[in-house]
Amino acid sequence: MKLILEFDGNEERDDLQVALDGYKWKNVMWELDQRLRKTTKYGVSQLKDTDSATGIEQDVAEATRESIREILNEWNLNLD
């Protein structure tokens, strides 16, 4: 399959960069999700990897992961 993206002029340079950086945004969101997963699944604190996460930190991490998934779903996106 071939896809051609065409942008005209300097005024569309930012739009071009956004289109080209899409995979980077996906990777960043995946990395964020994995860090939050470490907190929820293994109880690792995000402040220091050597510390245990508090119950509140685990709850916030889980709620944040759920929010991320809801937003991705609304935009018909996923991290898989």
Side-chain angles (χ1 to χ4, degrees):
M1 178 166 62
K2 184 186 248 185
L3 174 67
I4 299 172
L5 296 174
E6 189 172 311
F7 296 89
D8 295 322
N10 285 334
E11 60 275 354
E12 293 183 357
R13 185 178 303 244
D14 290 340
D15 293 337
L16 171 62
Q17 194 60 53
V18 168
L20 294 174
D21 286 344
Y23 76 96
K24 292 179 185 178
W25 282 96
K26 181 178 181 176
N27 289 339
V28 166
M29 291 305 297
W30 184 85
E31 179 66 30
L32 174 61
D33 183 68
Q34 292 304 300
R35 289 183 185 190
L36 293 168
R37 181 177 178 269
K38 268 175 64 175
T39 299
T40 59
K41 186 169 184 176
Y42 302 111
V44 176
S45 175
Q46 290 299 308
L47 301 175
K48 278 188 172 181
D49 278 345
T50 57
D51 292 344
S52 295
T54 65
I56 293 172
E57 189 175 3
Q58 289 176 304
D59 291 345
V60 169
E62 183 61 33
T64 303
R65 286 187 82 207
E66 289 173 11
S67 292
I68 289 169
R69 300 247 184 240
E70 286 174 17
I71 293 167
L72 289 170
N73 190 44
E74 289 171 6
W75 286 87
N76 294 320
L77 298 169
N78 65 59
L79 295 177
D80 301 324

